[in-house]
């Protein structure tokens, strides 16, 4: 950790409505509500002055408090629809709990749909942010299994067209690594997030998280895979 730990704020956006997996933030995931794992990772990292859950839902609020997070206010309805970006929710939380901008120079957004990231991941991501001095940093993971350079589009007649025609002539090991964003740990300098209200700001960087801790749950298939990975984690640590 940096020699002088600046005060940091953790924001966990967790609305009550979810179309693809109803009530997913409080649904039991390997014996606990899914959101509990994100709260635990934030608290155990030792980085944050406050860990706050932003929600519009009383049950999510109660579960979050029970597992150690703060819920100092209920999220406004206009920030709890299907279209509002989580970055806007995090910026709103920051402005509510630090209206003067004097308390927390750094803010992290931790999505509860990434229950496999751990406290060490949170610590490592902050170390990179602090060392690089960038205004924002998102978590990323490598594309695996299928080579993304060989991606195709398919039309209504089932014809396929390569997105990167030149890459189809090369071996996968001769192509650059490609990464995708995951919602596990996104950081920003608080002043920059207040201004941009988005983590995709100029000069933002990526912090790599291993794929087995990067799963972002959106579907039932994601849920089943994440459960298997979590059970393996528990077995590896002797916690099960």
């Amino acid at each position: 950790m940096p020699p002088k730990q600046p005060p940091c704020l953790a924001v966990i956006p967790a609305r009550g409505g979810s179309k693809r997996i109803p009530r997913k933030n409080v649904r039991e995931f390997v014996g606990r509500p899914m959101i509990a794992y994100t709260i635990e990772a934030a608290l155990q990292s030792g980085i944050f002055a406050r860990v706050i859950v932003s929600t519009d839902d009383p049950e999510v609020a109660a579960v979050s408090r029970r597992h150690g997070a703060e819920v100092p206010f209920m999220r406004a309805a206009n920030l709890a629809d299907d279209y509002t970006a989580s970055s806007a929710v995090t910026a709103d939380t920051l402005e509510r709990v630090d209206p003067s901008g004097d308390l927390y120079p750094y803010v992290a957004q931790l999505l509860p749909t990434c229950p496999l990231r751990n406290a060490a991941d949170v610590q490592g991501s902050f170390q990179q942010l602090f060392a690089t001095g960038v205004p924002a940093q998102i978590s990323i993971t490598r594309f695996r299994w299928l080579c993304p350079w060989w991606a195709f589009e398919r039309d209504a007649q089932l014809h396929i067209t390569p997105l990167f025609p030149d890459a189809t002539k090369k071996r996968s090991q001769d192509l650059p690594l490609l990464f995708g964003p995951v919602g596990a740990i996104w950081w920003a300098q608080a002043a920059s997030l207040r201004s941009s209200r988005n983590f995709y700001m100029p000069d933002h960087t990526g912090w790599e998280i291993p794929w087995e801790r990067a799963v972002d749950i959106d579907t039932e298939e994601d849920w089943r895979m994440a459960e298997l990975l979590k059970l393996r984690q528990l077995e590896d640590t002797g916690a099960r």
Side-chain angles (χ1 to χ4, degrees):
M1 298 298 299
K4 292 184 179 181
Q5 169 71 51
C8 300
L9 175 70
V11 179
I12 303 173
R15 68 190 183 96
S18 176
K19 299 299 188 294
R20 286 178 288 186
I21 306 179
R23 310 297 298 163
K24 66 180 177 182
N25 287 318
V26 292
R27 175 173 162 180
E28 184 175 302
F29 177 84
V30 192
R32 304 171 69 190
M34 184 174 68
I35 196 172
Y37 294 96
T38 295
I39 295 171
E40 179 181 69
L43 293 173
Q44 290 186 353
S45 73
I47 287 176
F48 301 109
R50 299 179 73 181
V51 175
I52 293 178
V53 170
S54 172
T55 186
D56 61 320
D57 186 90
E59 183 184 7
V60 174
V63 169
S64 298
R65 292 188 180 105
R66 191 159 63 244
H67 287 276
E70 296 180 54
V71 188
F73 58 86
M74 298 301 288
R75 192 194 306 181
N78 67 315
L79 291 175
D81 57 26
D82 292 333
Y83 308 103
T84 301
S86 56
S87 56
V89 173
T90 299
D92 171 72
T93 302
L94 176 64
E95 290 164 354
R96 282 172 174 258
V97 301
D98 186 12
S100 66
D102 297 328
L103 298 177
Y104 310 110
Y106 296 97
V107 58
Q109 174 182 281
L110 311 174
L111 296 190
T113 50
C114 297
L116 303 180
R117 129 274 284 127
N118 57 35
D121 293 323
V122 178
Q123 292 168 348
S125 66
F126 181 70
Q127 288 170 7
Q128 177 177 295
L129 176 85
F130 194 83
T132 56
V134 296
Q137 172 186 286
I138 68 172
S139 50
I140 60 175
T141 197
R142 300 183 192 189
F143 283 100
R144 297 179 182 273
W145 184 41
L146 296 176
C147 177
W149 286 105
W150 296 343
F152 289 86
E153 289 183 313
R154 189 174 70 172
D155 63 22
Q157 288 73 45
L158 307 183
H159 298 120
I160 57 175
T161 303
L163 295 180
F164 311 105
D166 292 341
T168 62
K169 305 168 187 176
K170 299 179 181 180
R171 302 182 304 167
S172 60
Q173 60 264 44
D174 297 328
L175 294 166
L177 290 174
L178 288 183
F179 299 81
V182 293
I185 315 162
W186 289 28
W187 282 98
Q189 294 187 25
S192 297
L193 186 63
R194 288 173 187 270
S195 174
S196 66
R197 304 186 72 81
N198 194 304
F199 288 85
Y200 286 103
M201 57 187 78
D203 298 324
H204 76 282
T205 59
W207 179 79
E208 184 178 1
I209 184 171
W211 78 269
E212 63 270 17
R213 298 199 300 277
V215 177
D216 203 329
I217 298 175
D218 287 319
T219 66
E220 289 289 349
E221 290 79 10
D222 296 339
W223 187 284
R224 289 193 290 271
M225 179 172 67
E227 282 188 320
L228 292 173
L229 289 168
K230 186 61 181 179
L231 288 169
R232 179 178 176 180
Q233 286 181 4
L234 294 173
E235 290 173 355
D236 289 345
T237 60
R240 185 172 185 270

